[in-house]
Structure formats: C-alpha cells, structure tokens
Amino acid sequence: MKTKVLIALLAVSAGAATMVPMSVQVRSGKVYPKPSYLGTVIATVEYGAQVQAGTLEKGWYPVTTADGKSGWLHESALSKKRIVMRAGTTDVGTGVSSDEVALAGKGFNAQVEAKLRQEGKLDYTWVDRMSEMKVEMDAVAQFLTQGHLAGGAQ
Amino acid sequence: MKTKRTRRASLMMAGAVVVGSLWWAGAGWARPEGLSGLGDLLSRKNKGLSEDRWKSILRGAQAVQKTWQDLTPEQEYYIGRAVAAQVFQTYRPLDQAGANAYLNLLGQALAVFSARPETFGGYHFLLLDSDEINAFAAPGGLILVTRGMVRCCENEDELAAVVAHEICHVEKKHGLSAIKQGRLTEAFTIIAAESAKQTGNDQLAALTREFEGSVGDVVKTLTTSGYSQGQEREADTAAVRLLRRAGYPEQAMITMLQRMDERLTHARGLGFAKTHPSARSRANALLKTIEDTRSKANPVRAKRFSAAMQPVVASR
C-alpha cells in the first residue's frame, strides 16, 4: 500500500515538475478551453502576468493562471523570459541574462510615442482608428465556415 | 585591494568587452557610429553616477538586448505604430468601412493559422487610397493594402494570398531586421542605463532620436529599397503554407503573382515592382512548393469579395 502511495506521489510530483512559469508577452492573452481560437474565452491574462505552463502541443501550451483557471494559450502569447514591469524593480543590473528577463515599458515605448505626438512629428489618427477595428472570433468562425475554408482554426 | 583608479580602469575594460560583444552580435550590420555612441555615453554619464551604478549599467548592457531579435513584442508594437503613421504621410488611408471590415475578417481568418497568431497589439488591416500596386506590413501586425493591389486580385483567394504574404513578413519579423545595428546598440545602452536610474529628459531625447532612426530604416525598406530576395521568397513560401492551413487554394498565390506580373510590366520601377523581386520569378520559384494546383473557385467567397471590394476597385 505504502509503495502504491509513493508511486502515486512520485507521479504527481513528476507531472507538477513539467509545469514551468511563463510570462504573457502580449497586451491581453486569452485562455481557451481547447487548443483552438474557436471557443469561449475562459480567462484573460494581462501583459507581464505569469502562468504555469505544461508541455507545448502543436503551438499551444496548457496553462494555469495565477487565480487557478486552467486552459490553453498559444505559444506566441507567451515568453520564457520573466517580464519585469517597472523600472527600479529590475534584476538587470545584477547580471541576469537576456534569456531570463525582458523589461516591460522600457526603450521604444508609450513615452517615446507621446514625445513624437507632442512634437507633432507623426499623426497617429489612422493608426489608432485601424487598431480599433476589432474582429470577434465568432465572426471569424462564421467567415471560415461560410467560405468552405478550414473548419477548426488551430 | 584595488584602488579607485584601478577599479575605474576595470570598469572601462568591462565597457570595452560590452562593445566587443555587441560588435560580434551584429556582425555584418554594425555601424561604427553605434560603437562610438556607446563610448560617448560611458564617458558622458560616468561623471554623475557612482561606480556601483556604473557596474549595474554595464552588466545591464551585457544582459538585456543586443540585436533586433531581442526587441520585445512591446517595443515591436511601438515601432510598428510609428512605421504605419509614417507610411500614412505618403499613402492616404481609404475610408471605406465595409471594405475595411471585410479585409479585417479575411486577415484575422488567416492570422489564426499563422505560426505567430498573436502579437502585442494584434493584427489590424487597412486599405490605402492609392492606385499603386503595393502592400506593407508594419512590425507587430499593422498591414496596409493599396486599392491598386486589390485590383490585381480577381477573387478572395488571391487577396488572401497577398494578405498571407504580409502576415508572414510580420511572423518572420522582416521589418525589424531592417533596423541598423548601430541604432539598436545605442538604444539598448540607453535602455540599460534606464534600468539603473529613472529616465531623464536627455535619455528620452536620445532614445526618441534612435527610435525615429529605426522607424526610418523600416519605412525605407518597405517603401523604397525592399526586403532581400531571400526574405521575399521566405514570405512567399510561408504564405503558401498559411493558405493551405486556412483552406484556401495554394494556386491562388501563383495566379495572383502572374496577374501582378502582367500589370507590373506596364509599371516597372513603381510601387511593388520597385520593392519586390519580379512576380514571374517568384511564381516560378513557388511552383515547386505547391502541393495542390487546383484553383477551387467558390461562389460564396466570390460573392462576398465582390460585394466588399467592388466599390474599392470601381472608385477613381
């Protein structure tokens, strides 16, 4: 009996060991119940948030969010680097490598864009307008189905 | 125990190591002014900071970023926005809500099948009010297609081929690769310095200068010099795969390129012809990668393409 319990515990710990922390590297990451965009979003994770990620399967990671919700996030929304959100809280000065950390809001950022806007060098009116053109995934699914295109998007 | 002078000399040597590693990281791209810029920054800023701060900065410069491949999706997003804004200085957007909504549906339907369906700010698509045969992909996923390019497309499948090609430029980050290494070296050093202290006005001004230069490099490549032939062919090949995954006929890429070749024969040296290898040579190169050569015309796709794009091709 003890042996069975030990084996079960080892199996659980081996499973847990495959979960690694990853950071959301897009403004708003969406967690889906299956590895597909054609489903109801079950959680939204913000830029820089950490999730626990399992083994990559065809471009999707099984993830668990900080508040315990489980689902799938596409690999392009995640980074193995820890994303450090604020100046002054970074480990960069202590010699961590670029493989481990990325700085959020540093460098070419909103502050630089604001300066260009302020100086009147670039007009962002149409950039903002096109960025507001949003397409719901339901509409994409309908577009694909009606056009006899691929049935299940990823 | 080291003296203060010895420690300072060690720091400067560490700086030289940083310069060396940055040079090698950007072999083939590095510009001398980028390297001297780092030296300037080291000597200029050394006055106001303690040695511990400088150690931190130098370690930061080694640690954070070196080449365009190290630009974060967030940085790519801001570069892409500025690139699009600059393109709009030359090309006027086409303010046709229905056509733009259709283009966005088509674009998103393709993007979900790409190897990089998610970027920091997502993919967005817009038509340009220009008869020039052209399309642009700003880093991060802002994709612009001219009315002239739409006229080259006989159906949705061929427009999908154009959009898929542009999505693949975003996926492969071809736009970012156009940024001169010298600018990035300078910018990354400023960013590393930022991590040791708050951004000052001087740093913001210097960073904005490098940002403008970087945006200029990308815009010049998109509108004037063009990507390398290798990058264009890479985008073509990836686009065929993308069309296949999305369920569009791969052959649409060939027919679109052939039609473009016919039209560009009359417009040599303008727009797309100026920035891309010849459409005929691209079509020939792709023939080997096409698995299914059937065109698979579809009445639903034909109808919705016509409904959305007829006002666009008919205008002017």
Side-chain angles (χ1 to χ4, degrees):
Chain A
M1 182 66 184
K2 275 183 181 175
T3 312
K4 279 183 183 173
V5 170
L6 189 62
I7 289 169
L9 283 172
L10 283 172
V12 168
S13 66
T18 61
M19 299 294 275
V20 294
M22 293 187 82
S23 298
V24 177
Q25 63 172 353
V26 296
R27 176 176 277 157
S28 178
K30 292 186 172 48
V31 181
Y32 291 88
K34 292 177 183 174
S36 163
Y37 285 104
L38 303 182
T40 308
V41 174
I42 56 173
T44 302
V45 276
E46 300 305 316
Y47 181 42
Q50 279 209 339
V51 296
Q52 294 297 316
T55 307
L56 184 68
E57 289 180 32
K58 294 182 179 174
W60 292 81
Y61 281 107
V63 297
T64 302
T65 63
D67 57 358
K69 288 177 181 158
S70 294
W72 296 80
L73 255 173
H74 194 270
E75 63 174 327
S76 56
L78 289 170
S79 170
K80 285 178 181 163
K81 295 177 185 179
R82 187 164 55 82
I83 295 174
V84 179
M85 293 304 288
R86 286 190 299 120
T89 61
T90 147
D91 292 336
V92 172
T94 58
V96 293
S97 85
S98 60
D99 294 335
E100 296 165 337
V101 69
L103 298 175
K106 306 297 283 184
F108 297 156
N109 59 11
Q111 207 180 357
V112 171
E113 182 176 305
K115 187 170 169 60
L116 288 174
R117 283 176 185 258
Q118 190 187 0
E119 292 171 355
K121 288 185 174 172
L122 284 176
D123 181 353
Y124 281 82
T125 306
W126 269 98
V127 177
D128 291 336
R129 278 187 71 174
M130 76 180 289
S131 299
E132 284 162 11
M133 292 177 186
K134 302 236 179 338
V135 178
E136 297 299 328
M137 277 302 153
D138 287 351
V140 171
Q142 198 177 19
F143 184 86
L144 290 165
T145 305
Q146 289 176 347
H148 294 94
L149 297 166
Q154 300 266 318
Chain B
M1 190 175 172
K2 285 182 178 176
T3 64
K4 209 170 182 178
R5 186 175 291 179
T6 317
R7 280 203 300 272
R8 182 156 291 155
S10 305
L11 279 170
M12 294 311 287
M13 282 181 69
V17 170
V18 176
V19 170
S21 67
L22 291 168
W23 170 263
W24 286 110
W29 287 87
R31 293 191 328 167
E33 57 265 42
L35 301 178
S36 64
L38 179 58
D40 286 348
L41 189 77
L42 289 172
S43 59
R44 195 166 62 233
K45 297 294 178 188
N46 205 15
K47 293 170 189 167
L49 292 173
S50 69
E51 284 188 13
D52 283 346
R53 279 294 195 201
W54 265 110
K55 275 185 185 174
S56 171
I57 290 170
L58 292 171
R59 283 180 190 141
Q62 285 174 306
V64 184
Q65 296 171 300
K66 294 180 182 70
T67 73
W68 62 266
Q69 284 148 317
D70 297 320
L71 285 164
T72 64
E74 185 188 12
Q75 290 165 341
E76 178 188 20
Y77 165 79
Y78 283 104
I79 291 169
R81 283 172 58 82
V83 166
Q86 198 157 322
V87 170
F88 292 145
Q89 289 180 341
T90 310
Y91 297 84
R92 199 171 52 180
L94 188 63
D95 195 1
Q96 290 197 9
N100 280 317
Y102 168 78
L103 181 65
N104 274 276
L105 252 179
L106 171 64
Q108 296 297 348
L110 286 163
V112 293
F113 291 99
S114 83
R116 193 185 176 205
E118 296 198 39
T119 63
F120 186 81
Y123 288 89
H124 302 278
F125 306 83
L126 191 71
L127 291 160
L128 296 175
D129 187 6
S130 168
D131 291 329
E132 189 177 296
I133 299 169
N134 220 335
F136 308 103
L142 299 182
I143 291 175
L144 312 169
V145 181
T146 65
R147 186 179 51 235
M149 179 59 93
V150 175
R151 282 204 185 109
C152 259
C153 301
E154 196 153 84
N155 51 43
E156 178 176 303
D157 302 354
E158 291 181 5
L159 182 59
V162 171
V163 173
H165 175 91
E166 298 305 321
I167 288 172
C168 292
H169 276 313
V170 175
E171 176 192 312
K172 309 284 181 193
K173 300 187 181 179
H174 288 158
L176 294 182
S177 75
I179 301 174
K180 291 187 169 71
Q181 181 61 39
R183 295 191 209 288
L184 292 174
T185 302
E186 186 84 16
F188 292 156
T189 307
I190 297 165
I191 294 167
E194 268 189 87
S195 67
K197 65 193 195 75
Q198 291 300 312
T199 311
N201 285 338
D202 288 351
Q203 283 175 314
L204 180 59
L207 202 51
T208 305
R209 193 170 56 244
E210 300 309 326
F211 180 76
E212 286 181 89
S214 302
V215 169
D217 288 343
V218 179
V219 172
K220 186 181 170 194
T221 299
L222 294 188
T223 60
T224 311
S225 54
Y227 293 119
S228 70
Q229 290 215 0
Q231 287 175 319
E232 290 298 350
R233 297 210 194 288
E234 187 180 29
D236 280 344
T237 308
V240 167
R241 281 199 299 270
L242 178 48
L243 288 172
R244 189 185 305 149
R245 281 199 297 270
Y248 281 104
E250 304 157 52
Q251 182 68 12
M253 179 63 91
I254 303 291
T255 54
M256 184 275 291
L257 285 169
Q258 287 169 341
R259 203 179 320 285
M260 192 191 299
D261 186 66
E262 287 165 21
R263 301 209 178 191
L264 288 174
T265 306
H266 305 292
R268 284 282 165 234
L270 294 173
F272 205 84
K274 189 172 61 177
T275 54
H276 287 71
S278 91
R280 183 178 297 276
S281 71
R282 290 169 61 195
N284 290 340
L286 277 178
L287 282 172
K288 290 172 239 164
T289 65
I290 302 282
E291 290 178 2
D292 185 349
T293 54
R294 288 173 295 171
S295 59
K296 297 181 201 166
N298 176 278
V300 176
R301 298 201 296 268
K303 193 175 172 185
R304 68 189 183 192
F305 172 81
S306 178
M309 290 302 175
Q310 190 54 39
V312 174
V313 297
S315 60
R316 283 285 165 91

